[in-house]
Amino acid sequence: FELVRWLGLYNRIGSLVLSYLIFTLPFTVWVLTTFMRELPKELEEAAMVDGAGPFVIVTRVFLPLMGPALAATGLLAFIAAWNEFLFALTFTLTDDARTVPVAIALMSGASQYELPWGRIMAASVVVTVPLIGLVLLFQRRIVSGLTAGAVKG
């Protein structure tokens, strides 16, 4: 919190971008490192023999092979950031910068004894629609990305 305030990012979207980046980066590095270890070293050696430099090896050899892993990891990181509550509640103050989970949690009824269950449930359903759409869109890549490297042989 002190770092966010010192950087002048309190109650701004930048504070959430920074915190979610720090929050999801270890997970994505861990998953992608595990996937990269499963790629054969012979691919890199063959590209080097053909005269490819490091940039060409990464962009033309490894990135196309990493598509499923990038899709699965990216979607899991997006879901983690999308559903995160604590940072969004701590780093935002106004409705302009709040995320949807915090806005749903702060919904109130006409009195202190009333909870608007209908509005809360409707908002929860609306919030899950983009996640379901992304999962359906990347379904094949997610399955192949999650199972890549699971079996040796």
Side-chain angles (χ1 to χ4, degrees), residues 33-103:
T33 301
T34 304
F35 180 79
M36 285 292 290
R37 285 188 182 148
E38 298 298 320
L39 293 175
K41 293 182 191 241
E42 290 80 14
L43 290 173
E44 181 180 7
E45 293 169 357
M48 289 170 70
V49 167
D50 289 341
F55 182 75
V56 172
I57 291 172
V58 169
T59 57
R60 300 264 174 106
V61 177
F62 287 133
L63 276 182
L65 294 173
M66 290 181 59
L70 288 172
T73 306
L75 187 62
L76 290 173
F78 175 77
I79 290 171
W82 183 266
N83 291 328
E84 200 280 323
F85 181 80
L86 185 63
F87 292 143
L89 181 65
T90 305
F91 297 149
T92 59
L93 187 61
T94 61
D95 289 337
D96 295 338
R98 282 201 179 109
T99 60
V100 178
V102 175

